[in-house]
Amino acid sequence: MGCDGGTIPKRHELVKGPKKVEKVDKNAELAAKWKHCALSQEKLRRPIVSCELGRLYNKDAVIEYLLDKSAERPNTDAVTHIRGTKDIRELNLTDNPEWGGERWNTKGDRYEDIHCGMFICPVVGLEMNGKHRFCYLRTCGCVFSDRALKEVKTEICHKCGDPFQSADVVVLNGTKEEVEKLRENMEERRAKAKTKKSKKSKAAESVSTPSQSKDDAQMDKVQKCSLENGGESSQSDQAGGSGASRLSSAVNGGGPSSVASKRSIQEMEEKSEAFKSIFTTHSSAKRTKDQTSNWVTHTPYHF
């Protein structure tokens, strides 16, 4: 049946063979890595940040994830290692002058280069489109091509002038092996940071304990001095908190006998009239019945 009318079938049309493995388009893969956010899959737009593993994100997408980690989002596995804003770094990128924007070819009458990148290396001029290896510095966030770092070997950033070390260089969108190395370095840095925090806390505790012991020793000395001074100070404190009683005890010599007797100052013959007139118990401070005010007032001074 079939094959009539002069048709000539081919072998693959009649015989079913093994299915071919579908290959991923390299251009689409590069565009997804270098032009889209690794978390939200939206197009990259400033400000652009990168993690310690070299993945590119939109800053607003990472902040939304950190504010609400329970929400369902695609590709959450790419940000599980990000604990806070300290684990990301905003990139200092150099714009490509040949990049015309996303809508420069809306009519379709121009040639659109798929491999044209939005950013370039400020030293060599290579486009950041995935064909060339790019790195960024964790100290300042400046982005350079790997060729620029190899050709111009310095320990100072080519763009901002900040010093850096070889351990501060992070490869952007590296291979699996490079990502594994970056993950190991990240875990080592975090472990060292934890040990430093524990040492600082122990040092703070050791500093606080001797100061407390000194305070305790000073308190013990004060208590011993108070016990040695004896009953004069303690009895004078127990006698009363009013200023008049303390003043009378000081006038009488501060002894316990004066406090116990409660002797009136006006009865002291050894004191002068000028001194006695200071107190309200003196006759000059008393008022007559005509001078006394009504009981409704606040301080009638009835004597």
Side-chain angles (χ1 to χ4, degrees), residues 10 16 131 149 153 166 174 207 218 222 233-234 236 238 242 245 269 281 292 296:
K10 296 182 180 179
K16 291 183 179 181
K131 289 187 174 181
L149 295 176
K153 294 182 180 180
S166 59
V207 169
Q218 291 177 357
V222 171
S233 61
S234 62
S236 62
Q238 293 175 1
S242 63
S245 62
E269 297 179 355
T281 56
T292 55
V296 180

Side-chain angles (χ1 to χ4, degrees), residues 40-295:
S40 61
Q41 298 300 317
E42 296 178 356
K43 289 187 177 181
L44 290 174
R45 58 184 181 275
R46 291 179 183 271
I48 300 172
V49 297
S50 180
C51 62
E52 295 177 333
L53 302 182
R55 294 166 183 164
L56 299 175
Y57 309 93
N58 287 327
K59 190 174 183 179
D60 54 354
V62 178
I63 291 174
E64 289 177 1
Y65 164 76
L66 294 174
L67 292 174
D68 187 11
K69 295 183 179 181
S70 61
E72 294 183 359
R73 294 184 179 86
N75 300 327
T76 53
D77 296 336
V79 290
T80 52
H81 60 284
I82 298 177
R83 303 169 299 178
T85 55
K86 293 183 179 179
D87 295 335
I88 58 176
R89 183 70 181 180
E90 186 173 349
L91 300 181
N92 187 8
L93 298 163
T94 305
D95 294 328
N96 185 6
E98 295 183 1
W99 173 257
E102 298 177 357
R103 299 182 179 180
W104 70 280
N105 194 17
T106 54
K107 296 181 179 180
D109 56 348
R110 298 180 182 179
Y111 172 72
E112 184 176 0
D113 189 4
I114 301 174
H115 302 292
C116 183
M118 294 184 291
F119 311 104
I120 60 172
C121 174
V123 180
V124 184
L126 297 175
E127 294 182 356
M128 198 174 76
N129 52 11
K131 289 187 174 181
H132 308 283
R133 188 180 178 187
F134 272 74
C135 310
Y136 82 93
L137 306 179
R138 290 194 303 110
T139 54
C140 58
C142 296
V143 180
F144 303 97
S145 62
D146 188 46
R147 185 185 298 179
L149 295 176
K150 288 181 178 179
E151 290 181 356
V152 186
K153 294 182 180 180
T154 59
E155 295 181 354
I156 299 175
C157 178
H158 301 297
K159 192 171 184 179
C160 63
D162 291 343
F164 70 94
Q165 298 177 358
S166 59
D168 297 329
V169 179
V170 180
V171 181
L172 292 172
N173 289 330
T175 60
K176 292 182 179 180
E177 297 177 355
E178 292 173 346
V179 171
E180 289 178 359
K181 289 182 181 179
L182 293 173
R183 191 181 294 276
E184 291 176 359
N185 296 334
M186 177 185 68
E187 293 175 355
E188 289 179 1
R189 284 193 298 269
R190 291 182 179 181
K192 289 180 181 178
K194 285 183 180 179
T195 53
K196 286 183 180 179
K197 286 183 180 178
S198 62
K199 288 181 180 179
K200 286 182 180 178
S201 61
K202 290 180 181 178
E205 290 177 357
S206 63
V207 169
S208 61
T209 49
S211 62
Q212 290 178 357
S213 62
K214 289 181 181 178
D215 295 338
D216 295 338
Q218 291 177 357
M219 290 295 294
D220 294 337
K221 288 181 181 179
V222 171
Q223 290 177 359
K224 287 181 181 179
C225 293
S226 62
L227 292 173
E228 289 176 357
N229 292 332
E232 292 185 359
S233 61
S234 62
Q235 289 178 1
S236 62
D237 293 338
Q238 293 175 1
S242 63
S245 62
R246 290 182 182 177
L247 183 58
S248 63
S249 64
V251 170
N252 294 329
S257 60
S258 62
V259 178
S261 62
K262 294 184 180 179
R263 188 179 173 186
S264 177
I265 296 174
Q266 304 299 329
E267 296 176 359
M268 297 178 184
E269 297 179 355
E270 65 273 11
K271 304 299 179 183
S272 64
E273 289 294 328
F275 180 79
K276 292 180 181 179
S277 63
I278 298 174
F279 302 94
T280 57
T281 56
H282 195 262
S283 60
S284 62
K286 295 181 180 179
R287 299 181 181 181
T288 62
K289 291 183 180 180
D290 297 333
Q291 292 176 348
T292 55
S293 58
N294 193 6
W295 62 273

